[in-house]
Amino acid sequence: MSNITPTSFTLLVTKSPFDYRNAHSAISFCIAALNQGHSISQVFFYQTGVHNASCLLRPHSDDLHVYDKWCDLANNHGVILNVCVTAASRRGILDTELAPQHERANLIHPFVQVGLSWYFKSLQDNSVNIQL
Amino acid sequence: MNDMLPLKSPYIVIQTAHAPYSTSAAIDALEAAFAATNIGITVVYIFVGDGVYQLFKQQQNLAIAHKSIYKKLCALPLFDVELIFAQACAVRNNKIALSDIDFDVSLLENDQLVAICAQAQQVLTF
């Protein structure tokens, strides 16, 4: 394992957490990559993937709590969780700046709303892209 | 445009694979392309599979109260997306006429499509 060259990965998550397995796969990939000494430059949420960022997600108790898993990755491993602001606002995923009232915001730290260009900047830094 | 192949400078490929109005995928692909060229990335934009339906010029978008995808596609060159291709077999199978389209689209046979993707820095599919 020590012979593995550390690689920086960027993940593009494009599917919502309940309807598809993509988010589960992305989380598993992040954990495996970090355990092997690689880094995750950012996870970028686009299309219906922005639903991963809603703090209002309430999965059943026997379902994987995708939102909590993302927060664990951010809080324990420093993984940056960027959300496309355009895709998110179209789908009602709003931070405190965009929500009509602060208390109605459902996109909060550690998720951050950014422009789509942030994702492409990461690719320019030779990060390996994984689209899910 | 096929005489530009193989492409010399680094580029990414954005494949658009869905019909224009059934999902948001067509718009999502377009906006990704605009964001990429906005920071100086060269984008090769390819219509594949059902994505070639976006190239129908006679889209009746008003019938479904939707903005025209075709008109947005016409803006691709204005946003520096000038390498625009369509999968030849999808165009033929769906009987899309490229001759009356208002921007340049070149056909790619499948072996050319593979070659372009193989040389790309990244391939994104929406």
Side-chain angles (χ1 to χ4, degrees):
Chain A
M1 203 66 76
S2 58
N3 291 331
I4 293 176
T5 304
T7 300
S8 171
F9 291 100
T10 293
L11 273 76
L12 179 65
V13 178
T14 60
K15 301 293 185 188
S16 62
F18 180 68
D19 305 271
Y20 300 90
R21 290 283 305 172
N22 299 52
H24 298 65
S25 301
I27 289 165
S28 299
F29 183 91
C30 286
I31 293 169
L34 292 167
N35 286 341
Q36 291 183 30
H38 301 297
S39 62
I40 308 294
S41 68
Q42 68 169 314
V43 179
F44 194 92
F45 299 92
Y46 189 49
Q47 298 185 280
T48 55
V50 299
H51 288 294
N52 283 270
S54 172
C55 64
L56 300 178
L57 288 172
R58 292 293 180 271
H60 286 181
S61 57
D62 54 349
D63 288 337
L64 178 71
H65 202 309
V66 171
Y67 182 83
D68 284 353
K69 290 291 182 187
W70 285 125
C71 291
D72 287 346
L73 282 168
N75 296 328
N76 299 329
H77 300 281
V79 173
I80 296 170
L81 305 176
N82 284 333
V83 184
C84 175
V85 62
T86 306
S89 58
R90 280 174 173 156
R91 293 170 173 87
I93 311 295
L94 304 172
D95 66 7
T96 52
E97 285 188 22
L98 292 176
Q101 294 142 4
H102 271 218
E103 62 271 19
R104 294 178 68 181
N106 57 349
L107 189 152
I108 56 176
H109 179 82
F111 290 87
V112 179
Q113 285 195 341
V114 297
L116 193 47
S117 296
W118 279 83
Y119 165 69
F120 289 107
K121 280 178 186 161
S122 182
L123 297 190
Q124 281 187 315
D125 296 334
N126 292 324
S127 187
V128 174
N129 178 58
I130 308 288
Q131 181 180 0
L132 288 157
Chain B
M1 198 180 295
N2 282 355
D3 57 355
M4 298 172 68
L5 301 175
L7 301 169
K8 299 290 190 295
S9 59
Y11 60 90
I12 67 167
V13 167
I14 293 181
Q15 293 191 123
T16 178
H18 291 272
Y21 301 108
S22 55
T23 71
S24 65
I27 287 293
D28 294 330
L30 261 179
E31 292 183 352
F34 294 161
T37 57
N38 191 39
I39 60 167
I41 293 175
T42 300
V43 171
V44 174
Y45 202 81
I46 309 178
F47 298 87
V48 298
D50 284 353
V52 298
Y53 283 118
Q54 298 172 41
L55 295 170
F56 264 128
K57 190 173 182 180
Q58 295 80 16
Q59 296 172 19
Q60 302 296 316
N61 55 290
L62 292 179
I64 56 169
H66 199 295
K67 288 183 285 189
S68 170
I69 299 292
Y70 178 81
K71 282 185 181 173
K72 287 180 178 286
L73 291 175
C74 291
L76 279 167
L78 301 177
F79 286 86
D80 298 324
V81 183
E82 293 169 331
L83 299 166
I84 307 171
F85 299 94
Q87 187 181 23
C89 62
V91 168
R92 284 193 291 266
N93 291 344
N94 295 298
K95 297 181 172 49
I96 309 287
L98 296 184
S99 55
D100 61 345
I101 288 179
D102 297 296
F103 52 97
D104 291 333
V105 180
S106 298
L107 291 178
L108 280 182
E109 299 300 335
N110 283 345
D111 55 344
Q112 294 174 304
L113 177 62
V114 170
I116 284 185
C117 291
Q119 296 298 316
Q121 291 180 309
Q122 307 286 347
V123 179
L124 301 175
T125 304
F126 297 103

